[in-house]
Amino acid sequence: MTGNEAGGERLAVPPAPADGAAPAAGAARGRRPAITAALGGALGRQGSLTRLVLAGVLLAAALWALNGGPFLNLVGQACAVYAIASIGQSVLIGSAGQIALSGAAFMAIGAFVTGSLADTPLETFPVPLVVCAVAGWLVGLLSGLPGLRFRGLYLLLSSLALQFMVTALTKNYQSEYHPAGLVVPPLRIGSLDVSGGRSLYLVLIAVLAIVYLAVALTERTGVGLAWRSIRESEVAAAVSGIDVVRWKLYAFAASGAVTAVAGSLLAYLVGRADYATYDLNLSIALITMIYIGGVRSRLGALTGAVVITALPYVLQLRLSGWLTELGLSANWYTENQSIANAGLFSLLFLLVVLFEPEGIEGLLGKAERSLRRAFGGRRAAEGAAES
């Protein structure tokens, strides 16, 4: 008689699992709580719900434009192009904290380089995008040289000088060789014509996704950390061992490369490169986009680009009817749309700077904090009642 039997106890030996099903089920049960906990932890951080809402709205808008009619598709194409340009400006202004009003100049560089590559061995897509990115990178390095000595208003004025220089050069070149603008050939990928409709929209969305991911991955490395340090304080960054000169130049160069790619895509979208398109008003519009959406966020830059790009189309379609219902005449707006839109963008920019510097993302962030406080207080009250 064994000791267990003498003590009146029997050790229960569990049956062997059949075909390993029990361990697999246990592992699955273990994974589910882990995934749930990770998801809950991600959503529990402040700002996560705001980013989720913005991403959901942007995705819904992209799908709406894809499945809509030709007009909606055209609006979606324009939004995609200006979203790329706004990401380029966000790298410089939002990440590195350097102010510039030369975004339209880099878009002009991309457009005119694309037009100049027509009827050459380099016109095959996506070679023009690569050439434009290199050209934007080099000009961005040169434009960053004043930023090594100037800050604030003086840096802004130096960027205006670049804008006027590029405008003068492209105007003279166009007047001399292409009075009607440089004709850009239809966009083709191999033998596939993607120069319009849904096919062009999908190409623009694909390029936007690549640019977004490339910038996001870059900013998650030491490069992004250096840019953020420079944005907060150049003196503190230098004391910490960061090469301020090097990384400021790289911020200008990266911004110029991305913005030039947007200019190339805009030339493909319009079908020609015209210097009048890339004026100071466009530079102001690009700045307005990132400040309205959220100056320190890529999702904010995308949101601002969609709002500022789509708003004129909405006003063009709806404003006349709204004014007529109010008994007012819409003739002035119809005849002066560009002036009215520029004034509206300036007003929106002023309101954002004065009352909500973080833009749309900042407003949503405040709403998220209010919700978290409300639900947190409710849970605390319920816990106190139970105890």
Side-chain angles (χ1 to χ4, degrees):
M1 189 168 60
T2 65
N4 287 339
E5 293 173 341
E9 298 176 356
R10 294 182 180 272
L11 292 178
V13 179
D19 299 330
R29 285 194 299 268
R31 282 196 300 270
R32 281 197 294 269
I35 295 174
T36 304
L39 182 60
L43 294 178
R45 291 192 293 267
Q46 172 60 37
S48 58
L49 293 179
T50 297
R51 291 189 290 270
L52 183 62
V53 169
L54 285 178
V57 170
L58 291 173
L59 179 60
L63 293 176
W64 184 33
L66 176 63
N67 297 313
F71 180 77
L72 271 179
N73 202 253
L74 177 62
V75 174
Q77 294 168 9
C79 289
V81 170
Y82 287 114
I84 296 174
S86 67
I87 290 176
Q89 294 302 291
S90 177
V91 168
L92 180 63
I93 301 174
S95 297
Q98 308 299 307
I99 189 67
L101 269 175
S102 54
F106 286 98
M107 292 190 71
I109 291 171
F112 274 79
V113 168
T114 302
S116 301
L117 294 179
D119 300 325
T120 68
L122 298 178
E123 73 171 1
T124 304
F125 191 84
V127 176
L129 295 186
V130 178
V131 176
C132 290
V134 173
W137 178 276
L138 296 176
V139 177
L141 283 177
L142 294 176
S143 69
L145 293 177
L148 302 180
R149 299 192 59 181
F150 300 140
R151 295 183 182 87
L153 179 61
Y154 299 102
L155 180 58
L156 186 67
L157 293 177
S158 67
S159 67
L160 278 177
L162 174 65
Q163 174 67 45
F164 292 140
M165 288 172 58
V166 172
T167 299
L169 289 174
T170 53
K171 179 180 180 181
N172 293 335
Y173 177 79
Q174 181 176 327
S175 301
E176 183 70 22
Y177 299 103
H178 305 276
L182 278 74
V183 177
V184 178
L187 182 58
R188 304 182 67 88
I189 300 178
S191 59
L192 182 63
D193 184 4
V194 291
S195 58
R198 292 185 177 180
S199 57
L200 177 59
Y201 179 70
L202 290 175
V203 170
L204 296 176
I205 290 295
V207 176
L208 172 59
I210 293 172
V211 169
Y212 186 93
L213 289 176
V215 172
L217 293 175
T218 301
E219 292 185 346
R220 291 177 68 90
T221 64
V223 178
L225 180 60
W227 285 344
R228 289 191 295 271
S229 301
I230 294 172
R231 180 188 66 196
E232 298 300 329
S233 173
E234 294 186 14
V235 175
V239 171
S240 302
I242 295 174
D243 191 344
V244 175
V245 172
R246 174 187 177 188
W247 295 114
K248 283 179 69 173
L249 287 177
Y250 282 176
F252 278 95
S255 174
V258 174
T259 311
V261 168
S264 175
L265 293 174
L266 183 60
Y268 278 117
L269 177 61
V270 177
R272 68 180 58 246
D274 189 343
Y275 80 94
T277 305
Y278 308 96
D279 56 3
L280 183 59
N281 289 331
L282 178 56
S283 293
I284 296 174
L286 293 177
I287 298 295
T288 306
M289 288 176 187
I290 62 175
Y291 272 94
I292 283 182
V295 67
R296 297 188 178 184
S297 167
R298 290 180 301 276
L299 276 177
L302 294 182
T303 304
V306 171
V307 171
I308 295 300
T309 305
L311 186 59
Y313 293 100
V314 174
L315 294 177
Q316 182 180 355
L317 286 177
R318 303 295 183 185
L319 185 61
S320 299
W322 294 339
L323 293 177
T324 303
E325 292 177 358
L326 296 174
L328 302 175
S329 175
N331 293 333
W332 183 87
Y333 177 78
T334 304
E335 297 171 358
N336 302 276
Q337 287 187 18
S338 59
I339 299 175
N341 291 336
L344 178 60
F345 296 159
S346 301
L347 178 61
L348 288 175
F349 178 74
L350 180 62
L351 292 175
V352 166
V353 170
L354 289 177
F355 299 105
E356 186 48 68
E358 297 300 324
I360 295 174
E361 186 170 9
L363 287 174
L364 293 177
K366 288 182 179 179
E368 179 184 347
R369 283 191 291 271
S370 299
L371 287 175
R372 289 185 184 277
R373 282 196 298 267
F375 281 100
R378 183 178 303 175
R379 291 195 190 99
E382 292 175 353
E386 291 177 0
S387 62

